[in-house]
Amino acid sequence: MTTAGPTLRTSTSVQEADGARPPRPPRRLKRSEKIAMALGVLVLLPIALVWIYPFVWVFSSSLQSNAEIFASLNPFTSTLQLDNYIRAWTEADMGRYFLNTIFVTGVSILLSVTVNALLGYVLGRYVFPGKRLIYVLLALVVFLPEGYTVIPIFDLIDNLGLSGSLWGIALAEAGGVSVIVVLLFTGYFAQLPKELEEAAKMDGAGFLRIFARIYLPLARPVLATAVILQFMHAWNDFLLPLVLTLSQPDLRTLAVGIYSLQNQYFSDWGMMSAASTIALLPIILVFIALQKYFIESFSGAVKG
Amino acid sequence: MAVAPPPARASRARRKDLLWIYLFILPGLALTSMFIFYPMGASWYFSLTEWNGFSDAKAFVGLANYRELIGDGFFWGSFGRSMIFVLIGVPLRVGLALILAIVLNNVIRGRLSTFFRTVFFLPVMAAASVIGVVLTFVLSPGNGPIALLLETTGLTDTPVEFLSDPDLALWSTLLLHTWKNFGMTLIYWLAALQTVPPEYYEAAEVDGAGAVQRLIRITLPILLPFAVIIIVLTANENLHAFALIQALTGGGPYYASEVVEVYIFRTAFAPDAAGGVPRLGYASAAGCFFGMATLIIALLQAWALKLVAAQRARLDR
């Protein structure tokens, strides 16, 4: 992680931090490397099939009737129909679960990304009394296993009077700081040039303005990463929303909702496949849309 | 660190800045206190009480829960299965991911490499409970696609009960958990591999070092320090297999795949299956005991790997 102070950088290095790493001159592959690559692909393809198969299967099943699903192993032999989706959305309440999940995920992203960015900003750019203590607390968050917090959180949400609303789940999903995200922000803000701040101060900009107008917009790649990580976390989390909605089926999120439908619709593979696709698709689309930022700032963080 | 100490004349501006700095810290501190620090303390307190969760009434019982826990075979069974998830699951995942990461980083280049990364990351993005439901269907012994495949290729003539055979269930869930989270460990390794300066390889090549030598002499020593953190992160994930296991088997059949988190959930929130009442105090005791045990394991691991790294550094000199 970047702990060194800010190095003065020219404007080109800001672009570099913003986008790709400095381009390395492309090197022509040697013959032996091409052969190795071909062999590698040959070995990897069947393995990749094992990883992708359940997704292909669930998607194709979602478009088939139950009779067709059982008839053949070939996923592409059906007459396509959307009946499963209609039944999942209305009969099985996936529509409600979908909207619940969007609310919980959206609120928790706003909350957690804001909180983590603010913390990362002051850690990355300022020296202040108590800074060491903050790092110690962050280290505690990493090292203390979080598995046994669910019972007190269940109790806390109840005591706050939030057990009957989606706000309680959203708040719990935002949870405490995410150490990885805070450190990503810290490292990123630390390496942005100080001159920006000085110039803004000349123009009379205050602390908040410098943060909101200058540094925060520059941190787009880390913001994207923070959004993806929290999106994945809140969209997929299971234990906490399960516990918080045990007596509130109406508040269930997709991850909990599908699980709760499992026994009821066990023989209805077509509809369960449609329900699963509804839960899977948004997260896959968001990832594909933002993955450029994701991989980059991840390797940036490890490198730093 | 970031900004040099301000000159004296700027002290008023500095004080104003300080106010903002603490204001920026406040929300993070508040949320963390509410959802991490408080629950950790509260868990210990709850573990000393008998509490059914229906009311706020918690009867203080001292260490009674812990005494009972130590004699509880179901708890130790689940504890052992969680350990299997770490001791067998972690080396399996970390090792396989390392091999694949090296192949994806050093052998396969360009778009094909990106394609494979995305494929292996696909299950990581999906909710474990949803994946659990999907896999239950895929592995369904009577008429699931895997059963059909095994049947049509003549590999078996009796259906394989991946999830409902007590001898198989734990290993099936372990393999499926490895499958689901494999991509995460792969990303960690790939990020670590990015830190190897390409010049090292080029220099080694000039010196006539072969691919295997470059791997042993350059790649692996540089990766070693990352191994500590990757192993700890992976172990942590393997201790939190609740969602997938709950969705695949619910801990069954006959507790054969019940890991500690499933045990805690059953004791605290879903005791009906065992014909009891919820025991949140007792479940908290199990949680605290397990939390401590895993913390000790993590520290031991970090310590052991530090020793290995120190040893390695000595050899290099």
Side-chain angles (χ1 to χ4, degrees):
Chain A
M1 208 53 58
T2 317
T3 47
T7 44
L8 296 182
R9 296 213 176 192
T10 58
S11 59
T12 49
S13 59
V14 177
Q15 276 170 5
E16 175 195 307
D18 198 18
R21 281 175 289 124
R24 277 171 45 74
R27 193 168 59 88
R28 283 184 70 91
L29 293 182
K30 280 183 296 191
R31 211 187 126 106
S32 62
E33 286 175 324
K34 278 187 191 156
I35 293 172
M37 186 163 152
L39 278 176
V41 171
L42 217 63
V43 174
L44 279 185
L45 271 178
I47 303 176
L49 195 69
V50 173
W51 256 261
I52 221 167
Y53 177 74
F55 294 91
V56 175
W57 184 82
V58 77
F59 181 64
S60 74
S61 300
S62 74
L63 298 167
Q64 301 174 18
S65 69
N66 283 313
E68 283 171 320
I69 296 170
F70 297 128
S72 133
L73 273 177
N74 184 349
F76 304 106
T77 51
S78 64
T79 46
L80 302 184
Q81 43 99 17
L82 291 175
D83 177 57
N84 291 325
Y85 283 91
I86 295 163
R87 285 189 300 128
W89 193 264
T90 52
E91 253 177 68
D93 244 4
M94 289 304 286
R96 180 200 295 267
Y97 301 151
F98 192 83
L99 295 178
N100 287 348
T101 311
I102 287 189
F103 179 87
V104 167
T105 306
V107 172
S108 82
I109 286 176
L110 272 179
L111 206 62
S112 83
V113 172
T114 309
V115 159
N116 291 322
L118 293 180
L119 197 53
Y121 177 68
V122 293
L123 284 177
R125 299 205 67 82
Y126 291 92
V127 183
F128 54 89
K131 185 164 172 165
R132 250 190 128 75
L133 182 69
I134 300 284
Y135 274 115
V136 171
L137 290 178
L138 285 180
L140 270 180
V141 175
V142 176
F143 276 105
L144 287 176
E146 92 281 46
Y148 56 95
T149 56
V150 61
I151 292 170
I153 290 176
F154 166 75
D155 187 48
L156 179 72
I157 295 290
D158 195 37
N159 289 339
L160 290 171
L162 290 172
S163 59
S165 87
L166 287 170
W167 288 99
I169 304 173
L171 197 63
E173 288 305 334
V177 295
S178 158
V179 177
I180 290 182
V181 174
V182 169
L183 292 179
L184 283 178
F185 274 119
T186 305
Y188 196 83
F189 283 123
Q191 52 88 43
L192 290 174
K194 214 175 98 184
E195 287 82 355
L196 293 172
E197 182 181 336
E198 282 159 2
K201 268 191 179 150
M202 297 281 204
D203 293 341
F207 189 96
L208 196 58
R209 212 182 160 88
I210 294 173
F211 167 71
R213 290 286 173 80
I214 298 171
Y215 285 110
L216 193 61
L218 283 176
R220 259 201 320 269
V222 187
L223 280 170
T225 308
V227 169
I228 298 184
L229 288 176
Q230 182 61 25
F231 190 98
M232 277 172 55
H233 169 71
W235 194 270
N236 292 336
D237 199 27
F238 183 59
L239 180 55
L240 209 59
L242 173 67
V243 165
L244 292 176
T245 59
L246 277 176
S247 55
Q248 307 269 354
D250 286 357
L251 301 183
R252 282 177 187 149
T253 55
L254 283 167
V256 178
I258 288 199
Y259 166 76
S260 64
L261 293 174
Q262 197 175 9
N263 292 324
Q264 195 182 345
Y265 293 95
F266 189 76
S267 53
D268 198 343
W269 288 21
M271 198 209 68
M272 284 301 283
S273 296
S276 303
T277 307
I278 291 172
L280 289 169
L281 216 52
I283 195 127
I284 291 172
L285 291 179
V286 166
F287 177 78
I288 289 172
L290 298 176
Q291 71 165 337
K292 184 184 130 226
Y293 291 124
F294 181 67
I295 306 269
E296 249 168 43
S297 51
F298 230 95
S299 39
V302 176
K303 245 173 152 172
Chain B
M1 178 168 124
V3 176
R9 67 186 156 79
S11 73
R12 243 188 83 186
R14 166 82 182 150
R15 260 208 302 277
K16 224 171 151 189
D17 273 3
L18 269 184
L19 193 71
W20 277 112
I21 287 170
Y22 291 123
L23 221 60
F24 270 40
I25 293 170
L26 196 66
L29 204 61
L31 265 187
T32 309
S33 307
M34 268 172 81
F35 289 103
I36 298 179
F37 296 137
Y38 161 74
M40 299 199 135
S43 233
W44 286 97
Y45 169 66
F46 291 172
S47 75
L48 304 175
T49 67
E50 188 70 53
W51 171 36
N52 62 22
F54 295 128
S55 70
D56 281 343
K58 304 179 186 74
F60 190 81
V61 293
L63 293 175
N65 284 331
Y66 288 95
R67 239 173 270 134
E68 189 183 338
L69 197 65
I70 286 170
D72 185 344
F74 288 107
F75 173 71
W76 286 112
S78 69
F79 191 88
R81 285 183 282 273
S82 280
M83 288 305 113
I84 288 177
F85 259 68
V86 173
L87 295 176
I88 296 175
V90 173
L92 183 72
R93 176 132 71 97
V94 172
L96 289 179
L98 174 61
I99 296 171
L100 213 65
I102 291 174
V103 171
L104 284 180
N105 193 64
N106 298 0
V107 178
I108 296 177
R109 290 153 207 271
R111 283 184 182 209
L112 269 172
S113 183
T114 314
F115 165 75
F116 282 118
R117 285 169 206 212
T118 311
V119 165
F120 289 116
F121 205 67
L122 214 53
V124 178
M125 285 180 276
S129 61
V130 177
I131 289 282
V133 171
V134 171
L135 291 175
T136 309
F137 282 120
V138 172
L139 292 173
S140 176
N143 45 11
I146 300 298
L148 280 176
L149 187 75
L150 291 177
E151 218 171 280
T152 47
T153 53
L155 281 172
T156 61
D157 41 6
T158 47
V160 183
E161 308 261 351
F162 290 103
L163 299 170
S164 41
D165 178 339
D167 292 332
L168 269 184
L170 179 69
W171 306 105
S172 302
T173 50
L174 179 56
L175 276 183
L176 295 173
H177 188 262
T178 304
W179 171 84
K180 178 183 185 315
N181 296 290
F182 186 76
M184 203 65 231
T185 309
L186 185 70
I187 292 265
Y188 294 149
W189 279 127
L190 282 167
L193 277 166
Q194 294 288 309
T195 65
V196 183
E199 300 82 42
Y200 284 21
Y201 288 129
E202 282 153 23
E205 216 168 328
V206 172
D207 290 348
V212 177
Q213 266 195 314
R214 271 175 297 183
L215 182 70
I216 294 171
R217 292 298 168 103
I218 301 173
T219 314
L220 294 183
I222 291 182
L223 291 183
L224 194 64
F226 292 101
V228 183
I229 190 73
I230 293 175
I231 286 173
V232 171
L233 285 170
T234 304
N236 192 43
E237 262 173 32
N238 273 14
L239 288 173
H240 299 304
F242 173 79
L244 192 68
I245 294 181
Q246 186 69 28
L248 281 170
T249 65
Y254 312 110
Y255 311 103
S257 60
E258 186 172 84
V259 294
V260 173
E261 278 190 339
V262 178
Y263 172 88
I264 292 172
F265 174 76
R266 177 169 65 83
T267 318
F269 299 106
D272 312 349
V277 289
R279 298 185 63 196
L280 276 79
Y282 186 64
S284 294
C288 290
F289 184 92
F290 184 59
M292 275 305 109
T294 55
L295 185 63
I296 291 169
I297 292 168
L299 292 176
L300 276 178
Q301 237 169 12
W303 175 71
L305 282 156
K306 220 168 131 186
L307 283 187
V308 173
Q311 177 70 18
R312 175 85 220 178
R314 223 172 298 141
L315 287 178
D316 280 349
R317 223 180 294 141

